[in-house]
Amino acid sequence: MGLLYLVALCISIFGMAMLDRRFTLFFWRDAPRAFVTLLVGVVFFLIWDIVGIDTGVFFRGETSFMTGIQIAPELPLEEVFFLTLLCYLTMNLLAGTRLIVDRRASRREGGAS
């Protein structure tokens, strides 16, 4: 039971990767740039978490769904996977929105002729 949350996060990240591949959104469009962008986002939010933990704003909740492994005091392993999913989802949403807007604009231009 202690791996359930981590497994759910991994399945969700895999789903993001499949959407990314299907619609060529983020990694499948430009993998090196996507990797750097994702890394910067995850590191930014990890620093944010560490500052929040240090100031007493954030703390680790207890649940039987988590592994119990901490990478720092009050910072569970699952947080890294959650932040990866959050950043990947955001970039896929941004790229997907841009794709939809571009396609609608090209249809309008093609229909106006």
Side-chain angles (χ1 to χ4, degrees):
M1 191 84 164
L3 290 173
L4 194 58
Y5 183 48
L6 184 60
V7 168
L9 288 169
C10 289
I11 290 169
S12 299
I13 291 169
F14 178 76
M16 284 291 103
M18 292 299 95
L19 284 170
D20 183 4
R21 180 174 181 250
R22 167 65 178 90
F23 296 104
T24 315
L25 297 172
F26 188 47
F27 275 97
W28 268 263
R29 183 171 299 270
D30 186 353
R33 189 167 63 174
F35 177 77
V36 170
T37 303
L38 188 66
L39 183 65
V40 167
V42 171
V43 167
F44 171 80
F45 283 116
L46 277 174
I47 292 169
W48 179 299
D49 280 355
I50 291 168
V51 169
I53 290 166
D54 191 47
T55 59
V57 175
F58 301 151
F59 57 93
R60 185 177 66 95
E62 295 294 327
T63 178
S64 62
F65 299 113
M66 295 173 63
T67 62
I69 299 171
Q70 294 186 57
I71 56 175
E74 299 296 320
L75 186 63
L77 171 67
E78 291 86 356
E79 185 70 7
V80 176
F81 288 85
F82 172 74
L83 294 174
T84 301
L85 174 63
L86 178 71
C87 292
Y88 200 0
L89 171 65
T90 301
M91 295 315 300
N92 274 350
L93 283 172
L94 179 64
T97 301
R98 186 176 299 145
L99 186 68
I100 290 169
V101 168
D102 289 349
R103 284 188 181 172
R104 285 189 178 174
S106 67
R107 283 184 187 161
R108 283 189 200 130
E109 290 171 4
S113 302

